[in-house]
Amino acid sequence: MARLRLPVLLVLVAFVTVTPFVVMVLVAFAPPGGRTLPGAFDVTRATLRNFTDVLQSADITRWALNSLIYSLVSVLLILLFASMAGYAFAKKRFPGREVLFWSFLATLMVPFQATLIPYYILVSEMGGVDTYWGLIVPTLANSQAVFLMRQFIVQLPDELFEAAKIDGASEWRVFTTVVLPLIRPVLATLGVFVFLWHWNDFLWPLVIGQSEAMRTLTVGLATLEGENVTINQIMAGATITVIPCLLVFGLLQRYLTDSVATSGMKS
């Protein structure tokens, strides 16, 4: 019985976690007309009608494209900036390095809601409202990403960087040929997290994207609740939003396990 405690506990936690997603999918495939539980359990009546209806009644394709641009561009830029900053904080010596790092890290304690109005005022004065750059740029200074990068890079052997410098490599060459190949696991891990954060982001896209054409998928689906749309169609739209997350996680799962396996390794 003592050996079974942990497996039973994990099964219960998994059941509680997965149940809402299973119900979402069942309601999405249920016959249209507001049918929910327990009628949705009748899988013999499953239909794709809700998916076709929501795709025709709303501009989901445009919203999905906006979410994809927002997520992918943010991932690429955040990984680039965070890896460069993490390398500088981990391996470079310059005055005020520790003060600057911990000051930057202290921004994690400030909730985003407290900075929402200043962010909006700055972006609005620069003409960034209802634009892609206004949606993306304020999210690029990710202190959590810089912290994770710095903690991973600081464990890399200093001898690698010294050998590259002796061979005459420039700073950019050291970064691209030594640092980036070695931090691929943490890049993949952080890339998954950043993609999920931006794909599921709601508050900032809601504030900055004021026209229907600039809505992201999460904001667009939320607006459907106030329209003449059934719960089955809303669940169908929510099911569509989960698919890219599953694809990203499935493609990068190997790198996630590599990151766990190599964490804590030092020279």
Side-chain angles (χ1 to χ4, degrees):
M1 292 298 297
R3 284 188 222 156
L4 290 176
R5 286 178 187 171
L6 182 59
V8 170
L9 178 61
L10 293 176
V11 169
L12 292 175
V13 172
F15 178 78
V16 173
T17 304
V18 173
T19 297
F21 294 96
V22 174
V23 172
M24 176 187 71
V25 174
L26 290 174
V27 175
F29 282 97
R35 182 182 293 272
T36 56
L37 300 180
F41 285 116
D42 186 5
V43 295
T44 60
R45 302 185 61 191
T47 177
L48 295 174
R49 176 71 181 277
N50 298 313
F51 292 90
T52 57
D53 288 345
V54 74
L55 289 173
Q56 293 173 358
S57 63
D59 198 3
I60 291 230
T61 305
R62 175 69 182 184
W63 300 343
L65 178 62
N66 291 339
S67 293
L68 200 61
I69 293 174
Y70 177 44
S71 302
L72 291 180
V73 175
S74 297
V75 167
L76 294 176
L77 293 179
I78 287 176
L79 291 184
L80 175 62
F81 297 151
S83 58
M84 294 172 67
Y87 170 55
F89 283 126
K91 297 299 182 181
K92 296 301 174 184
R93 301 291 182 268
F94 53 89
R97 184 188 67 168
E98 295 300 321
V99 174
L100 182 61
F101 175 72
W102 290 108
S103 298
F104 189 56
L105 200 61
T107 59
L108 284 173
M109 295 182 289
V110 181
F112 178 72
Q113 291 80 0
T115 60
L116 181 62
I117 294 177
Y119 268 132
Y120 178 79
I121 293 175
L122 288 173
V123 173
S124 177
E125 290 182 351
M126 292 187 291
V129 176
D130 232 20
T131 63
Y132 283 116
W133 76 262
L135 182 66
I136 295 171
V137 170
T139 66
L140 298 183
N142 193 315
S143 52
Q144 187 173 359
V146 173
F147 174 75
L148 292 176
M149 285 292 182
R150 186 254 186 190
Q151 295 303 105
F152 193 91
I153 296 174
V154 77
Q155 302 177 56
L156 300 179
D158 293 333
E159 292 79 4
L160 294 174
F161 304 97
E162 294 173 359
K165 290 294 183 62
I166 292 174
D167 290 339
S170 62
E171 287 292 349
W172 180 250
R173 187 171 179 81
V174 171
F175 176 73
T176 55
T177 61
V178 178
V179 178
L180 289 183
L182 292 174
I183 64 173
R184 279 183 298 179
V186 73
L187 284 174
T189 303
L190 187 59
V192 172
F193 291 150
V194 173
F195 182 87
L196 294 178
W197 294 337
H198 286 77
W199 183 265
N200 296 318
D201 194 10
F202 178 79
L203 184 56
W204 180 246
L206 175 66
V207 171
I208 207 67
Q210 299 183 355
S211 66
E212 184 175 354
M214 283 300 299
R215 289 176 182 170
T216 58
L217 207 49
T218 52
V219 176
L221 290 177
T223 60
L224 293 180
E225 297 183 9
E227 302 177 6
N228 188 20
V229 178
T230 64
I231 185 65
N232 304 90
Q233 295 179 18
I234 295 177
M235 291 298 102
T239 302
I240 293 174
T241 65
V242 176
I243 295 176
C245 300
L246 295 177
L247 291 176
V248 169
F249 183 81
L251 293 173
L252 299 179
Q253 185 178 13
R254 178 172 65 89
Y255 294 100
L256 296 178
T257 56
D258 290 344
S259 177
V260 174
T262 57
S263 61
M265 294 179 61
K266 296 183 179 180
S267 58

